[in-house]
C-alpha cells in the first residue's frame, strides 16, 4: 500500500468539499470527530448556522442531496464526481473496469496494484457486471468516505482533529503491532502533505481515497495470527473479534468462512495426512516406509479413494471444535480480567491454550475415530458410526480417550512456539520493511503463517506421534498396550530419536498447500458471505 498522499492531484483532492472535512470553516466538524477551529485564539467554535449544519449533515450522510456550498463557494460534489468518473472511464463506455482504473489513476499520478483495484471493484460493483457505473461509483466513494471518517475519529485519541505519531503508535499497539517511533513518523510523513507532522482529516481522506483498505485497524487485523492458516491440526489459538463484529453478528460469518476454508484445505491435503498417520504407526527401522512407497501401498490396498480415509470425520469436527474453542476463549478472556479488545501475546497464549484444551476434551473421541478410520483396511468399517460401535463393543468407552494426555501436553509447545515465531517474524518485517505502511501483503502473511506453523509442529511432533500410536494401539495385532512414558521409552530404545519423527516428511509437505488453500478459500468465502471489516 504505497500511496502517494503528498502527490495527490487536485482532481482527487477536491472530490469532497474541503469545508465539510478539513475544519477550514468554523462550526464544521473535521472527520466527524471533535473538531478544532483553525484560529488558535478561539477555544470554542461558534455555533453553526443553518447552512453550516446542512453542509455537515450532507457530508456525514451520503444519501442527502448535496447543494452548492455557500460556506466556501466550491462546486457541488456531484459535479466533481462526474469529472472524476469521466477521467477514469478511459474508453468512455459508461463503466469503470479494473483496466480503466489502472490507466486512469496512473494518468492522475496515483498507483495501485491490480489486487487493490480488484478489491475496490468488488466493493462497489453491486450488480456484479464487472464494472462500476456512475451510480455505483458515487455510492462507493461516499460510503468509503463515511468509513474513513469513523476511523479517523477513532484514531484521533486526543480529539483535536488531527493524528500525530504517538496516536499511530498507540493504535498499532492496541492491535498487537509494535513499531518504533521512527517508523510511526515515516507512516505519518507519507500522509502529511503540509509538513506539520500531523495528519488532518483532509490529508487522511486524500491518502486513502480509491484504496480498498478503510482503515489502519483493517490492515493490521491481517496481522492477527488467524486460524484461517489451517494445517489440519487442532492446536491453533482461536480468532479474536472486535466488539463491533460481535455486535453485528459478523463474527459467525468469519467462523463459517474459516470452517469452510479448513474443510477445503483438509480435503485437498487428506492423502498426505493419511500417509503421515500410516508412517507414524507402521514405519520402523525394519519397515522404513517412505512417501512414494506409502502412496503406492494405499492405492494397491484400497484404490485412489482410500487416500481420503478418515477425512470425513476430520472435516466434520471443524464446526464443533471451532464453536467450543471460540466460546471458551471469550469466557477465559473475561476470567483473566482483560479489558483489552485484543490480548497481548502472553495472555493470548494462556487463554488460547486453555480454550484449546477445553475444545479438544469435548471432541477428542472424534480424533480417535479419525485415526482409526485413516488406518483401516478395506472392508474393516462401513463408516464412522460402525467404527464407533466396534470400538465401544470391543474396547469400552476408555478407548475413545487413548492418547489424551500427550495431546493436551502438545497444545502448549505448539501454540506457544507458533505464536512466538509469528510475532518475531511480524516484528522483523515491520522493523525492516514497513516504511510508509504496515500492510504486509498476501505473500508475507502466508510466509509468516507457514513458517510459524511449521516450527510449532516441529516442537510438538513427538507428542503428536505418541498420541497417534496410543490411539492406534488396539489395531496392532499382539502389540503392547503402553502408557505415554512407556511408549516414549520404547520408541527411543527400539528406533532412536529419529523414531519420534516418523511421518514428518508428509506432514511438512502439506503445510504450504494447506495454508495457501485455506487463505484463498477464506478470502473468497468472505466475499460470498459479505463479510466486511468494521
Amino acid at each position: 500500500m504505497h500511496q502517494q498522499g503528498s502527490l495527490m492531484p487536485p482532481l482527487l483532492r477536491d472530490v469532497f468539499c474541503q469545508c465539510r472535512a478539513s475544519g477550514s470553516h468554523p462550526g464544521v466538524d473535521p472527520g466527524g470527530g471533535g473538531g478544532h477551529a483553525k484560529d488558535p485564539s478561539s477555544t470554542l467554535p461558534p455555533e453553526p448556522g443553518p447552512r453550516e449544519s446542512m453542509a455537515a449533515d450532507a457530508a456525514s450522510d451520503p444519501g442527502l442531496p448535496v447543494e452548492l456550498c455557500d460556506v466556501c463557494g466550491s462546486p457541488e460534489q456531484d459535479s466533481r464526481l462526474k469529472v472524476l468518473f469521466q477521467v477514469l472511464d478511459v474508453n468512455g463506455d459508461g463503466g469503470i473496469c479494473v483496466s480503466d482504473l489502472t490507466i486512469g489513476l496512473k494518468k492522475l499520478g496515483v498507483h495501485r496494484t491490480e489486487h487493490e483495484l480488484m478489491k475496490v471493484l468488488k466493493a462497489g460493483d453491486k450488480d456484479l457486471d464487472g464494472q462500476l457505473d456512475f451510480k455505483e461509483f458515487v455510492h462507493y466513494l461516499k460510503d468509503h468516505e463515511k468509513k474513513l471518517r469513523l476511523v479517523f475519529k477513532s484514531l484521533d485519541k486526543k480529539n483535536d482533529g488531527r493524528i500525530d505519531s504517538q496516536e499511530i503508535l498507540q493504535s498499532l499497539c492496541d492491535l498487537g503491532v509494535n513499531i518504533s517511533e521512527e517508523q510511526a513518523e515515516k507512516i505519518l510523513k507519507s500522509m502529511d502533505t503540509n509538513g506539520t507532522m500531523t495528519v488532518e482529516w483532509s490529508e487522511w481522506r486524500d491518502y486513502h481515497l480509491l484504496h480498498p483498505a478503510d482503515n489502519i485497524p483493517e490492515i493490521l487485523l491481517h496481522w492477527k495470527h488467524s486460524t484461517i492458516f489451517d494445517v489440519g491440526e487442532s492446536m491453533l489459538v482461536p480468532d479474536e473479534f472486535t466488539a463491533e463484529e460481535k455486535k453485528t453478528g459478523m463474527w459467525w460469518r468469519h467462523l463459517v468462512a474459516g470452517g469452510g476454508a479448513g474443510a477445503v484445505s483438509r480435503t485437498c491435503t487428506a492423502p498426505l495426512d493419511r500417509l503421515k498417520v500410516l508412517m507414524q504407526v507402521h514405519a520402523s527401522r525394519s519397515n522404513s516406509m517412505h512417501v512414494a512407497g506409502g502412496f503406492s501401498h494405499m492405492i494397491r490396498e484400497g484404490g485412489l479413494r482410500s487416500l481420503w480415509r478418515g477425512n470425513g470425520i476430520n472435516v466434520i469436527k471443524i464446526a464443533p471444535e471451532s464453536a467450543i474453542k471460540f466460546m471458551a476463549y471469550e469466557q477465559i478472556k473475561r476470567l483473566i480480567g482483560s479489558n483489552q479488545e485484543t490480548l497481548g501475546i502472553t495472555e493470548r497464549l494462556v487463554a488460547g491454550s486453555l480454550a484449546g484444551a477445553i475444545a479438544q476434551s469435548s471432541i477428542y473421541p472424534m480424533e480417535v475415530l479419525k485415526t482409526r478410520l485413516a488406518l483401516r483396511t478395506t472392508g474393516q468399517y462401513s463408516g464412522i458410526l460402525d467404527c464407533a460401535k466396534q470400538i465401544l463393543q470391543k474396547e469400552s468407552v476408555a478407548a475413545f480417550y487413548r492418547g489424551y494426555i500427550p495431546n493436551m501436553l502438545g497444545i502448549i509447545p505448539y501454540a506457544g512456539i507458533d505464536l512466538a515465531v509469528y510475532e518475531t517474524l511480524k516484528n522483523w518485517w515491520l522493523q525492516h520493511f514497513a516504511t510508509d505502511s504496515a500492510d504486509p501483503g498476501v505473500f508475507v502473511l502466508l510466509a509468516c503463517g507457514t513458517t510459524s506453523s511449521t516450527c510449532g509442529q516441529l516442537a510438538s511432533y513427538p507428542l503428536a506421534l505418541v498420541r497417534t500410536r496410543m490411539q492406534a494401539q488396539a489395531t496392532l495385532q499382539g502389540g503392547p498396550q503402553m502408557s505415554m512414558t512407556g511408549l516414549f521409552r520404547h520408541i527411543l530404545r527400539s528406533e532412536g530419536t529419529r523414531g519420534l519423527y516418523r511421518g514428518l516428511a508428509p506432514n511438512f509437505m502439506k503445510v504450504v498447500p494447506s495454508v495457501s488453500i485455506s487463505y484463498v478459500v477464506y478470502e473468497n468465502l468472505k466475499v460470498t458471505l459479505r463479510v466486511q471489516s468494521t
Side-chain angles (χ1 to χ4, degrees):
M1 187 175 97
H2 299 282
Q3 289 104 326
Q4 299 179 347
S6 59
L7 301 177
M8 185 67 71
L11 184 59
L12 285 182
R13 189 171 61 242
D14 295 336
V15 164
F16 295 104
C17 178
Q18 298 296 308
C19 72
R20 297 170 192 151
S22 64
S24 57
H25 297 287
V28 179
D29 184 4
H36 65 288
K38 286 288 183 181
D39 182 3
S41 64
S42 173
T43 55
L44 288 173
E47 287 294 317
R51 291 224 178 248
E52 289 86 348
S53 296
M54 287 174 63
D57 289 341
S60 62
D61 187 352
L64 293 177
V66 181
E67 302 294 334
L68 183 69
C69 181
D70 291 339
V71 179
C72 68
S74 65
E76 59 180 299
Q77 188 184 50
D78 281 353
S79 297
R80 296 167 184 266
L81 291 172
K82 284 177 183 175
V83 172
L84 179 59
F85 183 83
Q86 288 167 359
V87 170
L88 296 178
D89 181 16
V90 176
N91 56 13
D93 64 352
I96 298 175
C97 61
V98 172
S99 177
D100 288 336
L101 279 175
T102 304
I103 298 168
L105 288 175
K106 277 185 180 178
K107 285 181 181 177
L108 295 173
V110 179
H111 300 278
R112 299 282 185 266
T113 66
E114 185 177 351
H115 177 70
E116 290 167 346
L117 295 179
M118 280 297 296
K119 288 183 73 174
V120 169
L121 195 68
K122 282 184 179 179
D125 185 16
K126 301 301 180 186
D127 57 8
L128 304 178
D129 64 350
Q131 61 180 2
L132 302 179
D133 58 31
F134 181 67
K135 184 178 178 181
E136 290 172 330
F137 179 72
V138 170
H139 183 273
Y140 170 77
L141 283 182
K142 290 183 178 181
D143 185 58
H144 199 58
E145 187 202 21
K146 227 174 150 184
K147 293 178 181 178
L148 290 174
R149 283 177 179 275
L150 295 173
V151 177
F152 183 88
K153 186 175 179 180
S154 70
L155 294 177
D156 180 18
K157 298 183 183 298
K158 296 175 185 175
N159 206 29
D160 60 357
R162 54 173 70 91
I163 301 168
D164 58 30
S165 60
Q166 290 302 314
E167 287 170 320
I168 289 177
L169 269 174
Q170 184 59 50
S171 297
L172 299 181
C173 186
D174 289 346
L175 288 161
V177 176
N178 298 306
I179 62 172
S180 66
E181 190 167 348
E182 182 184 0
Q183 288 173 301
E185 288 176 358
K186 283 183 179 179
I187 294 173
L188 188 75
K189 283 179 182 177
S190 67
M191 293 182 274
D192 179 23
T193 59
N194 56 14
T196 60
M197 286 306 292
T198 59
V199 175
E200 298 177 1
W201 158 244
S202 59
E203 294 172 315
W204 169 265
R205 181 205 59 217
D206 294 345
Y207 185 80
H208 291 89
L209 193 64
L210 283 174
H211 190 277
D214 299 322
N215 50 56
I216 284 181
E218 180 180 310
I219 293 167
L220 295 180
L221 282 174
H222 282 300
W223 275 120
K224 176 181 64 177
H225 191 19
S226 173
T227 52
I228 63 167
F229 295 126
D230 192 297
V231 290
E233 301 298 322
S234 306
M235 303 173 183
L236 291 171
V237 174
D239 277 332
E240 289 183 281
F241 298 104
T242 64
E244 187 66 21
E245 284 172 325
K246 293 171 190 170
K247 183 179 178 181
T248 60
M250 198 59 67
W251 62 272
W252 71 263
R253 298 192 187 190
H254 280 279
L255 286 182
V256 170
V264 174
S265 171
R266 293 184 189 195
T267 300
C268 290
T269 58
L272 285 167
D273 194 56
R274 188 184 177 216
L275 178 60
K276 176 194 74 173
V277 173
L278 287 171
M279 291 175 72
Q280 284 178 332
V281 174
H282 295 302
S284 64
R285 281 177 174 169
S286 59
N287 176 26
S288 184
M289 184 184 291
H290 50 83
V291 174
F295 275 123
S296 298
H297 168 76
M298 288 190 287
I299 293 171
R300 279 198 311 271
E301 194 277 326
L304 280 173
R305 191 176 177 183
S306 70
L307 298 177
W308 278 267
R309 282 179 186 167
N311 182 60
I313 192 74
N314 198 29
V315 169
I316 290 170
K317 70 185 178 71
I318 292 174
E321 184 183 17
S322 299
I324 294 167
K325 192 182 287 187
F326 169 70
M327 290 186 289
Y329 187 68
E330 290 300 309
Q331 293 302 317
I332 293 165
K333 277 173 65 175
R334 293 190 184 95
L335 287 174
I336 62 178
S338 173
N339 295 319
Q340 294 295 319
E341 208 168 85
T342 304
L343 298 181
I345 184 170
T346 305
E347 291 173 314
R348 195 163 188 223
L349 173 60
V350 172
S353 297
L354 289 173
I358 291 169
Q360 278 285 285
S361 297
S362 303
I363 59 96
Y364 192 75
M366 299 174 83
E367 293 280 358
V368 175
L369 286 171
K370 178 221 165 189
T371 299
R372 294 292 182 91
L373 288 165
L375 292 169
R376 80 181 189 269
T377 55
T378 302
Q380 186 176 358
Y381 306 120
S382 61
I384 297 171
L385 291 177
D386 183 51
C387 178
K389 183 180 177 182
Q390 289 195 40
I391 293 173
L392 192 61
Q393 289 176 343
K394 296 176 182 178
E395 305 171 54
S396 80
V397 176
F400 287 105
Y401 283 88
R402 285 214 174 98
Y404 175 79
I405 293 175
N407 186 75
M408 292 298 109
L409 293 175
I411 290 174
I412 297 173
Y414 184 100
I417 291 173
D418 188 20
L419 273 177
V421 171
Y422 189 82
E423 290 292 314
T424 301
L425 291 173
K426 174 181 77 174
N427 290 325
W428 177 82
W429 189 91
L430 288 167
Q431 292 293 331
H432 290 83
F433 300 103
T435 52
D436 63 347
S437 169
D439 187 355
V442 173
F443 292 110
V444 175
L445 282 175
L446 293 179
C448 290
T450 302
T451 305
S452 62
S453 177
T454 300
C455 291
Q457 288 189 71
L458 188 62
S460 63
Y461 195 82
L463 285 163
L465 180 136
V466 168
R467 173 201 67 193
T468 303
R469 289 206 181 181
M470 290 180 73
Q471 290 172 341
Q473 277 181 349
T475 65
L476 302 176
Q477 295 295 330
Q481 302 294 307
M482 288 185 263
S483 64
M484 180 184 74
T485 53
L487 198 50
F488 263 115
R489 284 197 295 266
H490 172 74
I491 293 170
L492 288 171
R493 186 170 58 249
S494 61
E495 303 175 50
T497 306
R498 188 177 178 183
L500 294 173
Y501 290 91
R502 302 282 182 197
L504 190 63
N507 187 66
F508 280 177
M509 286 170 65
K510 74 186 178 76
V511 172
V512 173
S514 292
V515 170
S516 304
I517 293 167
S518 58
Y519 185 87
V520 171
V521 175
Y522 179 76
E523 289 299 314
N524 281 279
L525 283 175
K526 276 186 11 180
V527 174
T528 304
L529 294 170
R530 300 184 184 277
V531 175
Q532 299 173 343
S533 299
T534 54

